[in-house]
Amino acid sequence: MSTSKVKAGQLWSKGKEDLKKQLIDLKTELGALRTQKIAGGAASKLTKIHDIRKSIARVLTVINANQRTQLRIYYKNKKYLPLDLRPKQTRAIRRRLSKKEASRVTEKQKKKTMHFPMRKYAVKAEV
């Protein structure tokens, strides 16, 4: 069983299997500490519960981040991206027309601008 807190920097270099194994070890240790708590264990053992819980969270964070990066690589050149990998932004921005859609002009509008361009006036500036 581990005795010190898990450092996040060390976790990033580990592989998927190592992380899963460490997660299982931490969970079993947490279970043992919880049974000691019920049985009336020493106070020093009980303070470790907090550290173990936080270590489990760190390991899970690294696992999930690695999984998300792999998914981003997989979906890089696909047409659609899963909702949780898309940029969050605001609801209004997500529903806004894209730049391409906003710049499109109807055939009628094209003819109108071609045949009736903006008039140019020569105005004398007063000095």
Side-chain angles (χ1 to χ4, degrees):
M1 294 198 189
S2 67
T3 53
S4 64
K5 284 194 269 187
V6 175
K7 300 274 194 294
Q10 297 168 351
L11 294 175
W12 291 107
S13 59
K14 291 188 176 183
K16 186 178 178 181
E17 294 303 316
D18 293 336
L19 288 169
K20 282 187 177 182
K21 184 178 178 296
Q22 188 166 9
L23 183 65
I24 291 166
D25 293 343
L26 287 168
K27 283 185 176 181
T28 53
E29 188 174 351
L30 181 64
L33 286 171
R34 283 187 173 150
T35 53
Q36 287 177 3
K37 178 183 174 184
I38 293 167
S44 61
K45 296 263 186 186
L46 299 181
T47 55
K48 280 183 64 178
I49 291 176
H50 178 265
D51 294 339
I52 298 296
R53 286 180 62 231
K54 298 303 170 188
S55 297
I56 289 172
R58 284 186 194 97
V59 172
L60 285 172
T61 300
V62 171
I63 290 171
N64 289 332
N66 288 339
Q67 193 174 19
R68 285 175 69 83
T69 54
Q70 291 300 316
L71 283 171
R72 282 192 193 284
I73 292 166
Y74 176 75
Y75 283 106
K76 188 167 179 69
N77 296 320
K78 300 272 193 277
K79 185 175 181 183
Y80 295 112
L81 201 66
L83 293 176
D84 60 330
L85 295 181
R86 293 179 194 173
K88 179 78 169 96
Q89 300 173 324
T90 62
R91 192 167 187 265
I93 291 172
R94 290 195 306 266
R95 279 152 180 72
R96 188 165 60 189
L97 290 176
S98 67
K99 293 213 185 304
K100 186 176 180 181
E101 291 168 338
S103 66
R104 291 185 71 190
V105 182
T106 61
E107 203 61 39
K108 185 175 184 179
Q109 188 63 37
K110 283 180 196 171
K111 287 179 184 175
K112 196 174 178 182
T113 52
M114 187 168 49
H115 294 300
F116 303 102
M118 183 72 88
R119 291 186 179 178
K120 296 178 185 127
Y121 293 100
V123 181
K124 184 180 178 185
E126 292 185 34
V127 182

Short mmCIF file of all heavy atoms in Angstrom, two decimals, residues 70-96:
data_model
loop_
_atom_site.label_atom_id
_atom_site.label_comp_id
_atom_site.label_asym_id
_atom_site.label_seq_id
_atom_site.Cartn_x
_atom_site.Cartn_y
_atom_site.Cartn_z
N GLN A 70 -6.73 11.35 -26.96
CA GLN A 70 -6.80 10.29 -27.97
C GLN A 70 -8.04 10.44 -28.85
O GLN A 70 -7.99 10.25 -30.06
CB GLN A 70 -6.79 8.90 -27.31
CG GLN A 70 -5.48 8.53 -26.65
CD GLN A 70 -4.32 8.52 -27.63
OE1 GLN A 70 -4.44 8.00 -28.73
NE2 GLN A 70 -3.22 9.11 -27.23
N LEU A 71 -9.17 10.81 -28.21
CA LEU A 71 -10.41 11.02 -28.97
C LEU A 71 -10.28 12.22 -29.90
O LEU A 71 -10.79 12.19 -31.03
CB LEU A 71 -11.59 11.22 -28.02
CG LEU A 71 -12.12 9.95 -27.37
CD1 LEU A 71 -13.14 10.28 -26.30
CD2 LEU A 71 -12.73 9.03 -28.41
N ARG A 72 -9.60 13.27 -29.44
CA ARG A 72 -9.40 14.45 -30.30
C ARG A 72 -8.57 14.07 -31.54
O ARG A 72 -8.85 14.52 -32.64
CB ARG A 72 -8.68 15.56 -29.54
CG ARG A 72 -9.60 16.31 -28.63
CD ARG A 72 -8.95 17.58 -28.12
NE ARG A 72 -9.70 18.14 -27.02
CZ ARG A 72 -10.84 18.81 -27.14
NH1 ARG A 72 -11.36 19.02 -28.31
NH2 ARG A 72 -11.46 19.29 -26.08
N ILE A 73 -7.57 13.22 -31.35
CA ILE A 73 -6.75 12.76 -32.48
C ILE A 73 -7.60 11.93 -33.43
O ILE A 73 -7.53 12.10 -34.65
CB ILE A 73 -5.53 11.95 -31.97
CG1 ILE A 73 -4.57 12.88 -31.22
CG2 ILE A 73 -4.82 11.24 -33.11
CD1 ILE A 73 -3.52 12.15 -30.41
N TYR A 74 -8.44 11.06 -32.89
CA TYR A 74 -9.29 10.19 -33.71
C TYR A 74 -10.29 11.00 -34.54
O TYR A 74 -10.51 10.73 -35.72
CB TYR A 74 -10.03 9.19 -32.82
CG TYR A 74 -11.01 8.32 -33.57
CD1 TYR A 74 -10.57 7.27 -34.38
CD2 TYR A 74 -12.38 8.55 -33.49
CE1 TYR A 74 -11.45 6.48 -35.07
CE2 TYR A 74 -13.28 7.76 -34.18
CZ TYR A 74 -12.81 6.73 -34.98
OH TYR A 74 -13.70 5.95 -35.67
N TYR A 75 -10.92 12.02 -33.92
CA TYR A 75 -11.95 12.79 -34.60
C TYR A 75 -11.41 14.01 -35.34
O TYR A 75 -12.19 14.83 -35.82
CB TYR A 75 -13.01 13.27 -33.58
CG TYR A 75 -13.96 12.17 -33.18
CD1 TYR A 75 -13.87 11.57 -31.93
CD2 TYR A 75 -14.95 11.72 -34.04
CE1 TYR A 75 -14.73 10.57 -31.55
CE2 TYR A 75 -15.82 10.73 -33.68
CZ TYR A 75 -15.71 10.15 -32.43
OH TYR A 75 -16.57 9.16 -32.06
N LYS A 76 -10.08 14.14 -35.45
CA LYS A 76 -9.48 15.34 -36.03
C LYS A 76 -10.01 15.68 -37.42
O LYS A 76 -10.40 16.79 -37.69
CB LYS A 76 -7.96 15.20 -36.06
CG LYS A 76 -7.25 16.47 -36.46
CD LYS A 76 -5.79 16.39 -36.17
CE LYS A 76 -5.04 17.64 -36.58
NZ LYS A 76 -5.36 18.80 -35.76
N ASN A 77 -10.03 14.72 -38.33
CA ASN A 77 -10.44 15.00 -39.72
C ASN A 77 -11.82 14.44 -40.05
O ASN A 77 -12.16 14.29 -41.21
CB ASN A 77 -9.40 14.45 -40.69
CG ASN A 77 -8.07 15.16 -40.54
OD1 ASN A 77 -8.03 16.36 -40.35
ND2 ASN A 77 -6.98 14.41 -40.59
N LYS A 78 -12.60 14.14 -39.03
CA LYS A 78 -13.96 13.64 -39.26
C LYS A 78 -14.91 14.82 -39.48
O LYS A 78 -14.60 15.95 -39.11
CB LYS A 78 -14.43 12.82 -38.05
CG LYS A 78 -13.56 11.61 -37.75
CD LYS A 78 -14.02 10.41 -38.53
CE LYS A 78 -13.41 9.13 -38.05
NZ LYS A 78 -12.10 8.84 -38.56
N LYS A 79 -16.08 14.53 -40.04
CA LYS A 79 -17.05 15.60 -40.32
C LYS A 79 -17.65 16.14 -39.04
O LYS A 79 -17.81 17.34 -38.87
CB LYS A 79 -18.15 15.07 -41.23
CG LYS A 79 -19.13 16.14 -41.68
CD LYS A 79 -20.13 15.62 -42.68
CE LYS A 79 -21.07 16.72 -43.11
NZ LYS A 79 -22.09 16.25 -44.02
N TYR A 80 -18.03 15.25 -38.13
CA TYR A 80 -18.66 15.67 -36.89
C TYR A 80 -17.78 15.35 -35.69
O TYR A 80 -17.03 14.39 -35.69
CB TYR A 80 -20.02 14.98 -36.72
CG TYR A 80 -21.01 15.39 -37.77
CD1 TYR A 80 -21.44 14.47 -38.73
CD2 TYR A 80 -21.52 16.67 -37.82
CE1 TYR A 80 -22.34 14.83 -39.71
CE2 TYR A 80 -22.41 17.05 -38.80
CZ TYR A 80 -22.83 16.12 -39.74
OH TYR A 80 -23.71 16.50 -40.70
N LEU A 81 -17.90 16.17 -34.64
CA LEU A 81 -17.15 16.03 -33.42
C LEU A 81 -18.13 15.75 -32.29
O LEU A 81 -19.22 16.34 -32.28
CB LEU A 81 -16.41 17.35 -33.14
CG LEU A 81 -15.21 17.37 -32.24
CD1 LEU A 81 -14.07 16.57 -32.86
CD2 LEU A 81 -14.75 18.79 -32.01
N PRO A 82 -17.84 14.85 -31.36
CA PRO A 82 -18.75 14.63 -30.23
C PRO A 82 -18.98 15.94 -29.47
O PRO A 82 -18.11 16.81 -29.42
CB PRO A 82 -18.01 13.62 -29.35
CG PRO A 82 -17.05 12.96 -30.25
CD PRO A 82 -16.68 13.96 -31.30
N LEU A 83 -20.17 16.07 -28.88
CA LEU A 83 -20.56 17.32 -28.22
C LEU A 83 -19.58 17.75 -27.13
O LEU A 83 -19.29 18.93 -26.99
CB LEU A 83 -21.96 17.18 -27.62
CG LEU A 83 -23.11 17.03 -28.61
CD1 LEU A 83 -24.41 16.80 -27.88
CD2 LEU A 83 -23.22 18.25 -29.50
N ASP A 84 -19.07 16.79 -26.37
CA ASP A 84 -18.18 17.17 -25.26
C ASP A 84 -16.79 17.59 -25.74
O ASP A 84 -16.02 18.16 -24.97
CB ASP A 84 -18.07 16.04 -24.24
CG ASP A 84 -17.52 14.76 -24.83
OD1 ASP A 84 -17.74 14.52 -26.03
OD2 ASP A 84 -16.89 13.99 -24.09
N LEU A 85 -16.45 17.34 -27.01
CA LEU A 85 -15.17 17.78 -27.54
C LEU A 85 -15.27 19.10 -28.30
O LEU A 85 -14.28 19.69 -28.67
CB LEU A 85 -14.58 16.71 -28.48
CG LEU A 85 -14.20 15.38 -27.83
CD1 LEU A 85 -13.62 14.44 -28.87
CD2 LEU A 85 -13.23 15.57 -26.69
N ARG A 86 -16.50 19.55 -28.54
CA ARG A 86 -16.70 20.83 -29.23
C ARG A 86 -16.45 21.98 -28.27
O ARG A 86 -16.61 21.83 -27.07
CB ARG A 86 -18.14 20.92 -29.76
CG ARG A 86 -18.43 19.93 -30.86
CD ARG A 86 -19.85 20.04 -31.33
NE ARG A 86 -20.21 18.88 -32.13
CZ ARG A 86 -21.43 18.63 -32.57
NH1 ARG A 86 -22.42 19.44 -32.27
NH2 ARG A 86 -21.66 17.55 -33.29
N PRO A 87 -16.09 23.16 -28.83
CA PRO A 87 -15.89 24.32 -27.94
C PRO A 87 -17.21 24.73 -27.28
O PRO A 87 -18.24 24.72 -27.94
CB PRO A 87 -15.35 25.41 -28.86
CG PRO A 87 -15.62 24.96 -30.24
CD PRO A 87 -15.76 23.47 -30.21
N LYS A 88 -17.18 25.08 -26.00
CA LYS A 88 -18.40 25.37 -25.24
C LYS A 88 -19.05 26.66 -25.71
O LYS A 88 -20.19 26.65 -26.14
CB LYS A 88 -18.05 25.46 -23.74
CG LYS A 88 -19.22 25.77 -22.85
CD LYS A 88 -20.08 24.55 -22.62
CE LYS A 88 -21.09 24.80 -21.52
NZ LYS A 88 -22.38 25.20 -22.00
N GLN A 89 -18.36 27.80 -25.63
CA GLN A 89 -18.87 29.10 -26.03
C GLN A 89 -20.22 29.40 -25.37
O GLN A 89 -20.54 28.83 -24.34
CB GLN A 89 -18.96 29.21 -27.55
CG GLN A 89 -17.59 29.03 -28.21
CD GLN A 89 -17.68 28.95 -29.69
OE1 GLN A 89 -18.61 28.40 -30.25
NE2 GLN A 89 -16.69 29.50 -30.36
N THR A 90 -20.99 30.30 -25.95
CA THR A 90 -22.33 30.57 -25.43
C THR A 90 -23.35 30.01 -26.40
O THR A 90 -23.03 29.75 -27.56
CB THR A 90 -22.59 32.08 -25.26
OG1 THR A 90 -22.50 32.70 -26.54
CG2 THR A 90 -21.60 32.72 -24.30
N ARG A 91 -24.57 29.87 -25.94
CA ARG A 91 -25.62 29.28 -26.77
C ARG A 91 -25.83 30.12 -28.03
O ARG A 91 -26.00 29.59 -29.14
CB ARG A 91 -26.90 29.21 -25.94
CG ARG A 91 -27.98 28.37 -26.54
CD ARG A 91 -29.07 28.11 -25.50
NE ARG A 91 -30.03 27.18 -26.01
CZ ARG A 91 -31.17 27.53 -26.60
NH1 ARG A 91 -31.47 28.81 -26.75
NH2 ARG A 91 -32.01 26.61 -27.04
N ALA A 92 -25.83 31.44 -27.88
CA ALA A 92 -26.05 32.34 -29.02
C ALA A 92 -24.93 32.21 -30.05
O ALA A 92 -25.19 32.17 -31.26
CB ALA A 92 -26.15 33.78 -28.54
N ILE A 93 -23.69 32.11 -29.57
CA ILE A 93 -22.56 31.99 -30.50
C ILE A 93 -22.64 30.66 -31.25
O ILE A 93 -22.37 30.59 -32.44
CB ILE A 93 -21.21 32.11 -29.75
CG1 ILE A 93 -21.02 33.53 -29.25
CG2 ILE A 93 -20.04 31.71 -30.63
CD1 ILE A 93 -19.82 33.72 -28.33
N ARG A 94 -23.01 29.59 -30.55
CA ARG A 94 -23.11 28.27 -31.20
C ARG A 94 -24.18 28.25 -32.29
O ARG A 94 -24.05 27.54 -33.27
CB ARG A 94 -23.40 27.19 -30.17
CG ARG A 94 -22.25 26.90 -29.24
CD ARG A 94 -22.44 25.59 -28.49
NE ARG A 94 -23.68 25.49 -27.77
CZ ARG A 94 -23.86 25.79 -26.49
NH1 ARG A 94 -22.84 26.25 -25.78
NH2 ARG A 94 -25.03 25.64 -25.91
N ARG A 95 -25.24 29.04 -32.10
CA ARG A 95 -26.33 29.05 -33.08
C ARG A 95 -26.15 30.08 -34.19
O ARG A 95 -26.91 30.11 -35.14
CB ARG A 95 -27.66 29.29 -32.37
CG ARG A 95 -28.19 28.01 -31.76
CD ARG A 95 -29.05 28.23 -30.56
NE ARG A 95 -29.53 26.97 -30.00
CZ ARG A 95 -28.80 26.10 -29.36
NH1 ARG A 95 -27.51 26.31 -29.19
NH2 ARG A 95 -29.31 25.00 -28.87
N ARG A 96 -25.16 30.94 -34.04
CA ARG A 96 -24.91 31.99 -35.01
C ARG A 96 -24.49 31.40 -36.35
O ARG A 96 -23.93 30.31 -36.40
CB ARG A 96 -23.80 32.88 -34.44
CG ARG A 96 -23.52 34.14 -35.22
CD ARG A 96 -22.71 35.11 -34.41
NE ARG A 96 -21.41 34.55 -34.01
CZ ARG A 96 -20.59 35.14 -33.16
NH1 ARG A 96 -20.93 36.26 -32.59
NH2 ARG A 96 -19.43 34.59 -32.86
#
